[in-house]
Structure formats: structure tokens, C-alpha cells
Amino acid sequence: MNDQGLSQEDYLTPMEEMEIDLFLEAVYRLSGFDFRKYMRSSIVRRLQNRMRMERATTISSMQEKLFHESGFVEKILNDFSINVTEMFRDPDFFKVFRHTVVPELKKLASIRIWHAGCATGEEVYSMAILLKEEGLMEKTTIYATDMNEEVLEKAKKGMFSLQKMQTYTKNYLQAGGSEAFSEYYTADNHFAYFEPSLLKNIIFAQHNLVTDSSFNEFHVIICRNVLIYFTSELQNEVQSLFYESLCTDGFLGLGNKESLRFSQCATGYEEFSTLQKIYRKKH
Amino acid sequence: MIGKNRFGISAKIITGYAVIIVCLVISIFVVNNQLSTMQKERNFIIHHDLQVHSLTNEIEKKLLEMENGQRGYVLTGSERFLKSYNAAENSWRDDFNQLYSLLADNPSQQNNLINIKKAMMSWVNETGEPIIALKKNNKNAAAVKGLQQENSIQNVENIRSQFEQFRSTEISLTEKRAAHLDSRNKNLTYGLISLLVVVIALSIGLALFISRSIVNTVKEVIASIKAMTSNGGDVSKRIFVKTKDEIRELAHATNDLLDSVEKRDWLQKSTNGIVGQYQGKATMNELGTTFISGVARSTDASYGAIYVRESMDSKKFIKKGQFAGTAADVGRDVFTIGEGLVGQCAIEKSPLLIENVPNDYILVSSALGEAQAKNVIIVPVLFEGDTIAVLELATLQTFTEEHKALIENVTKTFGLTVDSISGRMEIVRLLKESQALTEELQAQSEELQTQSEELQMQSEELRMINEQLEQRSLEAEGKSRELLQAKNELEEQAQELSLSSKYKSEFLANMSHELRTPLNSILILSEMLAENAASHQLAEDEEFARVIHSSGQDLLHLINDILDLSKVEAGKLEMLFNEVNMSELPQQLERNFAHVAQQKGLDFRVAMENDVPPLIYTDETRVQQILKNLLSNAIKFTERGTVAVHISSQAPKEKRVEANHWLCFAVSDTGIGIPKEKHDHIFEAFQQGDGATARKFGGTGLGLSISLEFIKLLGGTLELESEEGKGSTFYMYLPSLPEGVTTLASVEEETVLQEVAATVEVEEKLPPNEQGALGFFSGKTVLITDDDQRNIFALKTALQNEGMQVITAANGHECLTLLEETENLDLILMDIMMPVMDGYETIQAIRAQEAYQDIPIIALTAKAMKNDREKCLEVGASDYVSKPLKIEQLFSVMRVWISNQ
Ligand SMILES: C[S@@+](CC[C@H](N)C(=O)[O-])C[C@H]1O[C@@H](n2cnc3c(N)ncnc32)[C@H](O)[C@@H]1O
């Protein structure tokens, strides 16, 4: 399969390792986006993909493009940014959240929720709908951040492809939605437009988990399917950022395939729901 | 251990008892002595005194016998008397002697006795014998005389009184002795009692003394032991005993026991300490470091290292922890089995103690310098019979037995821990790995998804490019076609041009006819006027002049109208907004139209409300023109009755522009009216009610269309209210616009007239992206199942308007039958609450069919019923919408479910 001069993804020669190091260093220096502590395997696959498209044979030649081909850095950044998401992704997560976390949140006078790595916003809209149905909308501020400004722009529009809406409806229903999903959108022939009132208390902002620091204290931090792209070292760093940014008794929600178990911060949390990876910060 | 001069508890007790026994023996001896003395004395009293008394009596009796015998013999001469006399005389001296000897201790009584003897002797010799001798000699008389002699009797009496005295003395003596014995007896009793008291006191004292001396030491020991236990088992204290007895021995033995307990305790504590420290360590290095420093500290070792086997199959032992006074690295990092002493020990699986350490073996360095280790011990740590680790310790002193025991102790458990930690580490490693793999998989799947999306995008791009190319070729094709078409069009246009010019010329011809007729009249009549000028028939003149005038006016109007209309259509007409004085308008109208109306015999009324502002901004000439048009129309079509103008401040329902003030000019008549179906047409150019009307009433019919155009240009609207035969009212709404009309809304008529059933709120505003919506839904087939005909009607109308095919079913059964008959169904709208077979059942029945597993079914539920909704999903509905339906929401949902994924 591999005629592109890059070895199989799980085996790289030291030279290639070095090339990648340099490449990522260049990306960092050129754009400020730091992928050096991202999972190598993932980076390598994305690079391979790009190399195939560019018909490049070495990473170094790609590096040259970085410097000399305008728009190439953006291409690479785009390659490295995986924005797969869904509304009410893992419906059970939202269901458990609704049944176990929401009662706790109801005790608070005001709520701050941080969606780190919100991608195109589906998760944020889902949360907004959930909170609205639970009557928490008014006292909640949702901070939705991502390092990729392009996806944030999409998120702000609240406009999702019609083709995905059937899945989203199913997810919504499975997640225990209490209304008709169609209450929240109007559709034209291509997109469903979510009710702008959902956006009332949502703040979208660019934030990079690798390079930026904490910006508030939150009652809930949701960061799903972002850490999977990070090495465990970086995961630890980001986890301690979350720990710092969470108030006592605050909740941390991770992706279904993620875990706090091997993190250094694990001792600071109790498992609030094992199955759904919701953790609660201890006193 | 105990001193030679010990005085044991048994000795104490025996001594105590001995003392008491001795005392008892002594007292028994004394008492016995006393008793035997008293016995003797009693015996003495009994024998001696009794004998004395009886002997005394015997002697006295013998004296009396002698006297009797003498007298009897004398008197009777019987030998028998003489015999008793002799017997008595022969024996009394023996008695006497006996008595005398008995009284040896009492000389005074002896004396008395001797006196008695003397008296008796004298009696015998002086009285007894001589008399007897007399008798024997038959000197009876002398004998009797002798007997009668006073002194012989006197003598016996004397002796007897002597005896009496003697006896009483003896009795008093006996009494004396008895009293003495009595007092002795009493003394003895007292003595005995006091002896008893003394012995009791002595034994109690002794017992107390001995028991105290024993108990005190025991108490001391107990106190020491208690102190130890209450001190949390502090066995460092020892028991001290001053006495030199078994208790001391016991204390010593206990102290020995404590010593060994302390040692064991130390061993146990040190073991526990070390074991406790390394419990819960997660990594081998942590474990090794804590272990070795614990062991080294406890054994006073100055150097220590622990080597742990890499894995059970490996031959390598890797240093996992070290202890040394300084930070410097000591010892090698890796050993292979069999290599060096450590390696050797690993093979032999037994400890190795090196007491004479070679000079260069280990130099233990400290901050102050380096010293030679004295003792080195290398111990294997075994687990299940295999060496799992090796421990090495070096000390500057020697390893004591306890140290060795400790080392042995801790290495025993350490093997298990090493094994369990390596096991745990392995598990953690595997878990971590699996977690990483899970994450990796998730990342990979997301990447794949992204990649597939990218591919999709690329293929879409490709398709787009293809389409573009296709389009371009089509375009090219099209262009040539267009060229052809253009040519054709040009030809056509040329034709059209000629045609339109034909129309125009026709029109003009028409017009010229129309123009010519009045002109003819003018010409003819003016000619006649001229001819008859001389006759001066005033009435006729007048009539002619009137016709000429009116014809000329008609002509003028017509020409003006045509001009205006063409200007409007060409967009060349501009409105001039200016102040218009409203107060003058009624008079003006009155002036201009009252006489016209009067001519037709009509009432003409103009009324203006008070709230109409005096000044408005609009184009006065055009307003006048419109009013004139409307009024002349009204007058024209009214045979009798009234024509009225009513001006008020009122805004239309639908405003085309925003203005501060709106005026409403209502021009009403009582004329023929306009039939409903013609309402739309009358504003078109060259249209009047119908041809006949036109003929009857004349005129071009341009007036209304021009007026309408003007009104639009002024920002106003025109409404018509009319009934055939009853008359018409035109409502002209005009805004006051100081700035003129800035934005003129496009004149499009949105009249979405939909029948709205009671339960359906149909919103008239349609979604923004409306164009093409028809395309989206058109051709799609929807099956509506609802028992409420009004709902069905409303939905059907709304959906049909979108170009959909609508099939309706009034209940579940009908729905199922229809399903069988229908092909290409795109969506089902299902009411839930239906009689006979409700929505749930129907949905279930639909889903049970193979062909309809995936067809979107949208349930229509009541809003408040949350359970209903859950039930809907359970039975297989794809989604639900709650009633009352909002048409826009319904469309959105249908878009979602019709869109092919
Ligand atoms: C796979 S999406 C997850 C979206 C959403 N949380 C979900 O679970 O559906 C990962 C998102 O994380 C963002 N991301 C990756 N690295 C980031 C970083 N260092 N800081 C902030 N966002 C990051 C990416 O831009 C992407 O939008």
C-alpha cells in the first residue's frame, strides 16, 4: 500500500520520527498550533493522507510546502483537526447527565459549563436543549471553545445538514428528550436551523487546550473525544488544567472511550458514573 | 541466680508454722506439767488424806475395840472378848506407825499423834492390861472395880477427843489442800487462756507478716507488669524486686521473658514497619527504595542494594533501590544470574554472610570519608522457590542475630510483594495499553469518518466539476443553440415588431376613430355654428357650443390619459410631493363636481372629518386627477341617488409604505355597482364593467388603471367595495410623505387563502428559502391517517399546495389497506387518538411489515402527553409532532424525514 515513502504507521524509522518532529515544530512556529504532543499515530495517518493527496514522497518535501506554498499551513491545520461530532452523541451520556448531574446542578444559583473542543457545536446545542427542557437554561452560561475557528463559525450558525437530522432525532429521543425534537429547528431543503434562542447563553470562543490557560471556574466541564488525540503526557497536562478550572463538587464529562483512570488527577475525583465517564471533583 | 542467704516463701511459711507449733508444744507441755502436778496433789489428797483419815479412824476403832473387848471379857469373861481385845491391841501400833509415816511432812500432827499414842499406851498399860490380868487371875471384883474406875473411862474419852482434834486438824488440812488445788486449777485455766491468746496473737502476727512480705513483692511485680501493659505493651521496662525470694526469681524469669519478647517485638515491629512502608507502592523502584532503606536502617547497615529479577524468564537482576549514607551511586546496576556474589546467591538461594570482608569489597563512604565494611550479607528473596530478588547489605559493625532474623523475616514477605507488584504493574500496563488502544481506535474511527467525509466532499467536488464541465459543454451547445435562437428571436422580434406596430397602428386607427368622431363633431358643429351665425338662434347655439365643449373636453381627457398611461408604463412619470392644503379640498371638489352631478340629477356630498390634518404631503395634481377620475366614474355610472366623498384620517390594513399620516378618500355612489368577479379586472386598461356598459356610458376605461398606478406611485392603496346594482365605494388610502416615496414595495399580491380547520394553526408566513420548496416536496407521497376530517382537510390542502400527493385514511384499518395499494410512499402522518384501532396499534402493524420497516412515520400526539410520546417511540414511530400542529414545524419535520440520508 505504501508507496509514499512513509513507513507503516506503527513503525517509523528514527529518521522519519525526526522528520515528523521537525515538521510539527515548523507547524508550531508558523501557526502557533502545537501538535507536538498529539498522538503520533494519528498525526502520521493524517500526514499520510495529505501526502497521498499532494503526491508528496517525503515529509521534508511537505515541510517545504509549509514554508513556501501559501495556504498549505491551513491545509495541514485542517487535516489535523478532526471535527467529528453529533448531536446527543452517545445518547446515554446525555441521559445519565440529565438524570444524575442535572439534579445536582439544580441546587446551584448559577451554572457555568465549559465545552472544551466543541467542534461544530452539535454537543453544545444538545446541552442547551437538555438544559432548556430541565429549566436550567436561564441560569446557565455555556462556554463553548475549540482551537479551530472555522468550526466555531459553523457552530455559531447552528445550521446542520438535513441528512444528519434523522440520526440526531433518534439520539435526542434516546437521550430522554422530553419534547418533540422539531420544536427546536426549522428546516429548508438542505439544512435544519436551530432556534436562535438556544444560543442566548452560549459564548463561543477560540481556546487551545495545549497552549491556553484556564479562563474561569466551572461547575461542569465537558471534553469529549478530544483527549484521544493527545499523548498521555499531554492528557495529564490538560487534565490538570481541567482540575484547576473546576470548582469543588464540579463535574467532568469525558468521551465514552476516554478515562481518567491513569491520569495523575484521578485521585482528585470520584467516579460519578462509571459507565458514562462522569467524574466529580472531590473536596 | 538467687543469693545464698535467700529466705524463700516456704521458709517463711514454715518458720511461721514452726514458731506456732513450738509455742503450742511449749504450752501443751506447761499445761500438762501443771495438770500432772495437780493430779499428784489430788492423788495425794485422795490417798494420803483418805489413808490418814481411815487410819485415824482405824486406830480409834481399835481403841474402842480394845475397851469393849476388855470390858466384855471382864464382864463376861468370854474369851471371845479377850480375843478381839488382843487383836486390836496387836494391830493398832502398825496402823499408828503407818499413820505416823504418812504424816512425815507434818511434824505438828506427828506430835499430836505421838501424844495420842502415849495416851493409848498409857491406857493399855494402866487400865487395859492390868484389868485383864485381874480377870485372868479371877479377880473379878478388882477387875470390875477397875472397870468402874473413873479415870479409865476418862482416859478413853480423852483419847477419843484427841483423835477428834487430830481428825479435825487433818480435815482442815485437807480442806486447805483442796482450796489450794482449786486456786491452782483456776490459775491453770487463766494461764491456759493467756497462753492461747498469746499463741493466737503470735500466729496472726506471723501470718500477717509473712503474707505481707509475700504479697508486697507480688504486688510490686503486678504493678510493674500492669505498667507495661498500660503503656501499650511497652516491654522496655524491667521488674525490680528487693526481696530475695521466689518472687524475685519470678521477676527475673519475667524479665528474661520480656527480654525475649522485646526482641521478638522489635523484630516484629521492624518487620511490620518495613513491610508497612512498602505496602501500596505502585512501582518497583518505589518499592525497592522503601524496602532497602527500611531494612538498612533497621539493621544499622551503611550500605544496601536490592536487585529485582527483570522477569521470571530473565536472568538479569536489576537494581531497583539502594541505600547509602551519601547520594553517591553504590554497587552495580545489573547482575546476571551466577555473576559475582549476588549472582551466586541467586543461584544458591541461600543467604551469604561475609564476615571477613576483603579490603576492596565495599568502601562505605560518608560525608566525612570512607570506611571499610566489616560485615556483608547477601540474601536471596524467594518466591515459589525461585529467586525473585537479591538483597545486599553491608555494615561497619557486625550483623547481630536479631538483624539476621529481621532480614530473614522481611525477605520472606518481600518476595510475595515483588511478585504481586510486578503482577499489578503488568495489569496496569495492560490496562493502560488497552485504554490507549481504545482511545486510538476512537481517534482512528473519527479520522476515518473525517476521511470519508473528505472523500465524500471530494467526490462531491468532482461531481460538481463534472457537472460544471457538462454544463460548459451544454453551455457551448446551448450557445450555438442560443445563437440560432437569437437569430430566430431576432426574426421573431422583427415579426413582433411589425405585429406590435400593427397593433399600434390598429390602436392608433382605433384612436384616430375615437379622435375623429369628436373632432368631426367639432368640425361639423363649428361649421354649422359658423353657417347659422346669422340666424342667432341662441338656444341652439348654446346647445351646439355645449356639445363642442364637451367633445373637446373628452378629446382632451382621452389624449391626456393616453399620455399619462404611456408615461407610467414607461416609468417616466414622477410624483411631485408638496404641501397640500386639505382644508380647501372639499370646496374645490364641490366647485368642480356639484354642477356635473346636478346635471344628472344626483346628490353630491363632500364630507371631511375634523381629525384630518390641514396639511399633508403628496402630489396635489395627481390626487386631484385621481379624485376626478373616481368622481367622474361614479357620476358616470350612477343614474340616480348620491355620489359622495368622505375624507377621514385612516390607515389601510396593508400599508405599502410607512407614514405618519394616512388619509382615506372614500368615493361612493349608488350606481350600478361592479360584480364580484369583475373586481380584479376593472383596474386593467381598457376595461369597463362590460362591453355594453362601455357602449352605454362611453369613455375609454383608462381612468381607473391610471388612478391605480398613480395611487401606487403616491404610496397609497385602492380598495373596492361594491355590490352589483347597489353601488360602489372606492377607498383610496394616501400617506402623507414629506420625503416622497423612498421605498416602494414591489407590487405583488400575496393572497394565500387557506381554509383553516379548527385544530390547525396554519401560519401564513412561509419559510425564507421558499423557492424550490415546491421542488422538494413535489411528487412525494404522504399518507395521512386521522379520524378528524377537518384535520385531514387542512393538512391535505397545505400539503397539496406544496405539490405533494396526499392519500388520506380515516382510521387504522383504512391506513393498512391503503398501504397495500400504494407504492412509493414517502411518509406517514399518524394521529394517535383514533377509535377502533389507535395510532400505536397501527404503527405496530405497519412496522410488522417487511416493506415498511424504515418508512418514516410521524406520530401526531397531544402536547401534554409525555407517556404517549414514549409509547410512540416504543411502537416504532420515527418522530412525533405535538398538536395543535404548526404547519412550519410539520414541514421541517417532513423535510428531515423525507431527506434521503
Ligand atoms: C472529535 S471532535 C469532538 C467534538 C465533540 N466534543 C464530540 O465529542 O462530539 C475534537 C475537537 O477537538 C478540537 N481540538 C483538538 N485539539 C484541541 C486543542 N488543543 N484545543 C482545543 N480544541 C482542540 C478539534 O478542533 C475538534 O473540533
Side-chain angles (χ1 to χ4, degrees), chain A residues 38 82-83 85 89 117 119 123 146 207-209 224-225, chain B residues 446:
Chain A
Y38 275 49
I82 311 275
N83 307 307
T85 185
R89 183 182 198 176
E123 188 180 82
D146 201 289
H207 180 276
N208 193 328
L209 291 170
R224 314 192 68 219
N225 305 306
Chain B
E446 290 195 355

Side-chain angles (χ1 to χ4, degrees), chain A residues 42 45 89 163 178-179 187, chain B residues 446-447 869 880 895 901:
Chain A
S42 166
R45 281 191 298 268
R89 183 182 198 176
Q163 269 91 53
S178 64
E179 302 294 321
Chain B
E446 290 195 355
E447 280 163 30
R869 277 178 251 148
Y880 49 73
R895 282 195 188 94
Q901 293 215 296

